[in-house]
Amino acid sequence: MANALNPRQKEAVHYIAGPCLVLAGAGSGKTSVITRKIAYLIEECGFGARNIAAVTFTNKAAKEMKERVSKLVKGKASHGLTVSTFHNLGLNIIRREHKALGLKSGFSIFDAEDAKGLLKEIMLKHNDLESDSVDLVQSEISNFKSAMITPQQALNQADSVGELGVAQVFERYNQALQAYNAVDFDDLICLPVNLFLNSPETLGRWQHKLRYLLVDEYQDTNESQYQLVKQLVGGRGGLTVVGDDDQSIYAWRGARPENLSLLKQDFPTLHVVKLEQNYRSTARILRVANAVISHNPHEFTKTLWSDFGLGDPLRLIRCPNEDAEAERVATDILSQKMRHGLHFKDFAVLYRGNHQSRILELKLQQNQVPYAMSGGTSFFSRTEIKDIMAYLRLLINHDDDNAFLRIINTPRRQIGTSTLEALGRYATEREIGLLTACNEVGLQTVLPDQGLQRLREFASWLTRIRNNCAQNNPMNAIRGMIDDIDYEAWLFQNASSAKVAERRMQNIEFLLSNIENAISRDEEAEDNEAFVKNAIAKLLLMDLMERQEEEDDSDRVQLMTLHASKGLEFPRVFLMGMEEELLPHRNSIDDDNIEEERRLCYVGITRAQKNLTMTLSASRKQFGEKTETSMSRFIEEIPEEDLELEGFGQATQAQLETRAKETVNNIFDMFND
């Protein structure tokens, strides 16, 4: 197993005498270290797979890790191994300890949109804050939970009317979640941490279960994740964390790169292993990356190197304006592809902000360059689709409390949060679903007549729809349901324009067509209810497939933000917008947060395997006015001998346009030949 490892990787894998920090530079093979260390723990050190947990930040990374381990550890020896995201680990803890947390077994998990809807309802009811500030309030509450700040602490530390308002909404929001038997995304971490703080016996059980913990991307942990790791490890030191402080780019969502430094305080015997050999990029690309990041302060210093030779110089191209910049990138991709016999998927274009892609997309389309954008909206994540799917989910599963809460006031039925909280408390006490609770005689003891009547009207109506589905044509019943709630009018009432509402209604029609197709092809269902259940199950599978297709291997240029590019690599990379106020971003300059912007630049540079081109625009239009730009300070940190400059005074706009036309003509000539 160890033959393929370099000396430093081998040291990281074999060290189990105490806590270990693997400082893993970009492209240094960190996933191999984690997966091989898991295999080493199982095969050589006597650890049972069920006593090991490897934690990372994305489902994709967890899946890759699990697949690699299964190839290294054969048979039943790997059974029971936990390889998951932080949030999945937290969810597993909550599921097993739900009673201690005051939750019943079928608790709901609110996604960001569910949580936003609940917050909006609370804010409208109590007039604490303007409801159009719900995004800001949601972000603040998420930050509170990530930092392990309770509603009471938030109330105590509020220094202004605005902060007090947010703290009050936070308190009511948590109360509502408890009443609904629900948790939100941040609760998946902070609830287990609080449980372990208050119940040493419970913590002891989990420490006994998880005897060795491996954590990937440790520099991206926030306060609650950091605390969870500390709790589970305890005083045993059965811990390996892998991280790179130079790639910490998520401070805006609570990540704390200083957690790497705190390891030395929490674990005085910490053993540090540096992985500096890079298996991705040429020596010149790494030399440039090292030069840029050296301007940041470091707790741990490292210098990336590779055996791939010096490689091409980096190009820095200055264009007259953003239109010329996008045109140059598009034609350059075509030119390089033809000259070197490459594929479109060999290219990636990275940028600081999504707005930079708009003009680039137009230029790529004009030049017939296929492209894919990461972070596109999944069909099933659209609000209107989630609404109708929630109605369908509740039709086939009476106990889907999350679906119930999503649709009870969509469209509005004048059922307020106090009514729903009382319903939630009653359902929790009776250990039944919210929809079932609506029809219980005992509910009238906790609700006023008006609220009770509206809930029972809804439950009765849904029962009629369900019976109609079972006894008659299910598609007619579903379309009738959408007509009953007058969802189209709701869309027009809430959309920013009639065109947007029409497009959303077309999305629903597409959804219904897919349900109809699924029903017509179903040869296994025995009755209408089974038809509808199977159709919805197939739609959920379509959702998963659609998300996988976003990561397909088709021949397209990849467009993405620098944040989205982390963890990826491409033979040829274009870094657009290397200007002050773009990279580094204007907000970061104002907030004196240049270090994180420099790390972003470092991440962008180290995505490139063989060739890196950076572009900037001499002027840009802002609010309709042309403004001159200045070159990014990060360019000045690159050694001159590693840069080939173009467009710095020696070419006019006319010359650049001529060059672009010549490139296109050359390409057509190649086709003709």
Side-chain angles (χ1 to χ4, degrees):
M1 179 189 78
N3 292 344
L5 299 172
N6 68 39
R8 294 285 76 76
Q9 290 174 325
K10 195 182 295 186
E11 180 187 352
V13 168
H14 292 169
Y15 186 82
I16 60 163
C20 179
L21 164 61
V22 182
L23 202 67
S28 62
K30 67 182 177 66
T31 306
S32 291
V33 167
I34 295 172
T35 52
R36 287 170 185 267
K37 186 153 193 172
I38 292 169
Y40 181 71
L41 289 166
I42 294 170
E43 295 180 334
E44 306 290 339
C45 305
F47 281 84
R50 70 179 62 83
N51 300 127
I52 301 170
V55 190
T56 187
F57 279 85
T58 67
N59 287 318
K60 182 183 173 187
K63 183 184 174 193
E64 182 191 351
M65 227 179 268
K66 204 158 196 173
E67 286 171 353
R68 287 211 206 177
V69 172
S70 67
K71 289 174 184 174
L72 293 168
V73 182
K74 302 297 182 186
K76 294 181 180 179
S78 66
H79 289 191
L81 174 70
T82 298
V83 181
S84 74
T85 62
F86 267 102
H87 291 93
N88 272 328
L89 176 62
L91 177 59
N92 288 338
I93 294 169
I94 293 172
R95 278 181 177 149
R96 296 201 186 185
E97 311 294 346
H98 65 270
K99 288 183 181 175
L101 290 163
L103 295 165
K104 61 183 184 186
S105 58
F107 63 86
S108 298
I109 303 169
F110 275 32
D111 66 13
E113 199 170 328
D114 296 327
K116 185 175 178 178
L118 175 57
L119 283 169
K120 199 166 189 176
E121 197 75 32
I122 290 168
M123 290 163 71
L124 282 169
K125 178 183 177 185
H126 294 281
N127 294 317
D128 295 304
L129 299 160
E130 294 293 326
S131 60
D132 58 4
S133 64
V134 66
D135 288 331
L136 178 64
V137 173
Q138 186 172 19
S139 175
E140 283 297 304
I141 289 174
S142 178
N143 289 339
F144 282 144
K145 291 192 175 189
S146 295
M148 300 303 300
I149 295 170
T150 65
Q152 189 57 53
Q153 288 170 325
L155 286 166
N156 293 342
Q157 67 188 36
D159 285 333
S160 66
V161 174
E163 288 181 6
L164 183 64
V166 172
Q168 289 169 339
V169 173
F170 180 23
E171 185 176 43
R172 292 179 181 123
Y173 170 72
N174 263 14
Q175 289 168 350
L177 284 176
Q178 190 76 29
Y180 294 164
N181 190 43
V183 297
D184 67 15
F185 201 59
D186 296 302
D187 286 331
L188 296 179
I189 310 293
C190 65
L191 285 181
V193 171
N194 279 323
L195 174 64
F196 291 157
L197 280 172
N198 296 317
S199 175
E201 182 187 344
T202 307
L203 175 58
R205 278 204 317 272
W206 280 90
Q207 287 176 339
H208 180 72
K209 173 180 165 52
L210 301 177
R211 291 173 49 213
Y212 204 99
L213 196 62
L214 303 98
V215 186
D216 189 20
E217 304 286 10
Y218 195 74
Q219 76 281 348
D220 292 337
T221 53
N222 60 29
E223 177 64 23
S224 58
Q225 290 158 345
Y226 172 73
Q227 293 295 339
L228 183 62
V229 170
K230 263 179 67 178
Q231 289 173 328
L232 289 173
V233 173
R236 291 187 314 254
L239 172 70
T240 292
V241 307
V242 181
D244 181 4
D245 50 352
D246 290 333
Q247 294 188 76
S248 181
I249 57 174
Y250 296 117
W252 50 277
R253 67 181 190 200
R256 290 160 43 99
E258 60 267 29
N259 286 350
L260 278 173
S261 304
L262 289 173
L263 279 169
K264 288 200 296 187
Q265 294 178 28
D266 294 325
F267 303 99
T269 60
L270 182 73
H271 181 66
V272 180
V273 181
K274 296 180 184 180
L275 303 185
E276 297 174 297
Q277 183 173 358
N278 174 283
Y279 294 94
R280 174 188 299 161
S281 306
T282 64
R284 195 189 301 266
I285 288 169
L286 297 178
R287 189 162 75 189
V288 166
N290 289 331
V292 170
I293 204 64
S294 69
H295 289 76
N296 271 6
H298 286 85
E299 180 83 25
F300 307 98
T301 57
K302 65 182 183 308
T303 304
L304 295 181
W305 60 276
S306 82
D307 283 332
F308 294 150
L310 186 60
D312 300 337
L314 278 63
R315 292 188 303 157
L316 177 65
I317 303 172
R318 185 172 182 261
C319 302
N321 51 50
E322 62 262 53
D323 188 85
E325 181 189 30
E327 178 75 28
R328 180 59 195 273
V329 170
T331 56
D332 219 55
I333 288 171
L334 272 176
S335 176
Q336 288 189 47
K337 179 184 184 294
M338 296 302 172
R339 276 197 319 240
H340 302 292
L342 303 170
H343 300 284
F344 284 119
K345 65 183 178 184
D346 292 331
F347 297 88
V349 186
L350 313 180
Y351 35 79
R352 178 65 176 82
N354 276 312
H355 67 279
Q356 291 171 257
S357 69
R358 293 171 196 155
I359 190 165
L360 177 62
E361 285 189 80
L362 291 173
K363 297 298 181 183
L364 292 172
Q365 288 166 9
Q366 287 169 11
N367 287 282
Q368 296 185 321
V369 175
Y371 65 90
M373 290 189 71
S374 73
T377 305
S378 160
F379 177 74
F380 286 86
S381 67
R382 298 176 190 277
T383 302
E384 64 274 14
I385 300 304
K386 289 181 75 173
D387 286 347
I388 301 305
M389 285 295 288
Y391 273 98
L392 298 175
R393 279 162 43 205
L394 198 58
L395 272 180
I396 64 173
N397 177 10
H398 309 189
D399 295 325
D400 193 332
D401 287 352
N402 211 8
F404 178 94
L405 290 169
R406 181 177 184 91
I407 65 175
I408 190 65
N409 274 315
T410 306
R412 290 199 183 283
R413 294 185 176 87
Q414 295 180 303
I415 298 171
T417 50
S418 55
T419 298
L420 291 173
E421 285 176 24
L423 173 68
R425 283 191 292 270
Y426 179 84
T428 300
E429 287 166 10
R430 298 275 295 124
E431 295 193 344
I432 55 177
L434 295 172
L435 183 62
T436 304
C438 289
N439 289 317
E440 287 228 333
V441 175
L443 188 61
Q444 64 194 31
T445 62
V446 298
L447 276 179
D449 291 344
Q450 194 175 51
L452 181 67
Q453 183 184 345
R454 286 173 180 154
L455 285 173
R456 288 187 170 163
E457 282 173 1
F458 172 76
S460 174
W461 168 77
L462 202 66
T463 300
R464 290 197 302 274
I465 300 295
R466 187 183 298 115
N467 292 339
N468 194 7
C469 266
Q471 296 164 12
N472 302 302
N473 182 303
M475 283 314 302
N476 288 346
I478 290 168
R479 290 181 188 280
M481 175 186 75
I482 295 170
D483 288 341
D484 279 356
I485 61 176
D486 203 3
Y487 192 78
E488 187 169 7
W490 168 255
L491 284 180
F492 274 88
Q493 182 184 337
N494 289 280
S496 56
S497 70
K499 274 191 175 179
V500 170
E502 286 166 10
R503 190 163 63 246
R504 289 176 180 169
M505 203 61 207
Q506 287 167 3
N507 288 337
I508 291 171
E509 194 52 50
F510 180 74
L511 175 74
L512 297 179
S513 299
N514 275 284
I515 296 173
E516 202 158 17
N517 289 338
I519 288 175
S520 65
R521 293 179 192 150
D522 195 344
E523 298 174 359
E524 298 174 7
E526 297 175 359
D527 53 36
N528 281 357
E529 188 173 0
F531 274 128
V532 176
K533 281 185 176 180
N534 290 356
I536 291 170
K538 286 176 183 175
L539 282 170
L540 294 172
L541 182 60
M542 274 176 58
D543 182 19
L544 292 174
M545 295 300 291
E546 182 182 272
R547 290 178 188 178
Q548 286 172 3
E549 285 170 7
E550 288 176 4
E551 299 165 7
D552 68 3
D553 200 34
S554 59
D555 192 22
R556 297 184 286 179
V557 175
Q558 300 297 311
L559 312 185
M560 65 189 72
T561 63
L562 286 162
H563 283 101
S565 74
K566 187 165 175 287
L568 304 177
E569 57 186 49
F570 307 93
R572 292 172 181 255
V573 169
F574 286 81
L575 260 179
M576 287 182 70
M578 293 297 292
E579 303 151 29
E580 288 290 297
E581 300 196 354
L582 265 183
L583 185 67
H585 194 274
R586 181 188 301 116
N587 293 345
S588 298
I589 295 171
D590 293 342
D591 297 340
D592 195 24
N593 188 20
I594 299 300
E595 289 172 18
E596 177 141 340
E597 294 292 299
R598 187 175 282 109
R599 292 195 290 268
L600 259 183
C601 182
Y602 174 83
V603 164
I605 293 169
T606 53
R607 297 315 92 194
Q609 294 170 299
K610 296 179 180 177
N611 186 278
L612 177 63
T613 301
M614 294 175 285
T615 65
L616 66 148
S617 175
S619 65
R620 287 188 186 272
K621 274 189 181 173
Q622 287 188 338
F623 311 112
E625 289 188 16
K626 181 175 152 183
T627 58
E628 301 299 314
T629 69
S630 56
M631 188 169 64
S632 168
R633 69 189 71 189
F634 304 142
I635 296 294
E636 296 168 9
E637 297 169 359
I638 295 174
E640 286 182 23
E641 63 270 22
D642 290 322
L643 276 181
E644 280 187 357
L645 302 180
E646 184 182 318
F648 287 83
Q650 66 268 44
T652 64
Q653 183 170 356
Q655 288 170 325
L656 287 167
E657 289 170 358
T658 301
R659 186 182 298 151
K661 287 176 185 173
E662 285 173 355
T663 302
V664 175
N665 289 335
N666 288 338
I667 292 164
F668 284 126
D669 289 343
M670 290 176 73
F671 278 122
N672 292 332
D673 290 343

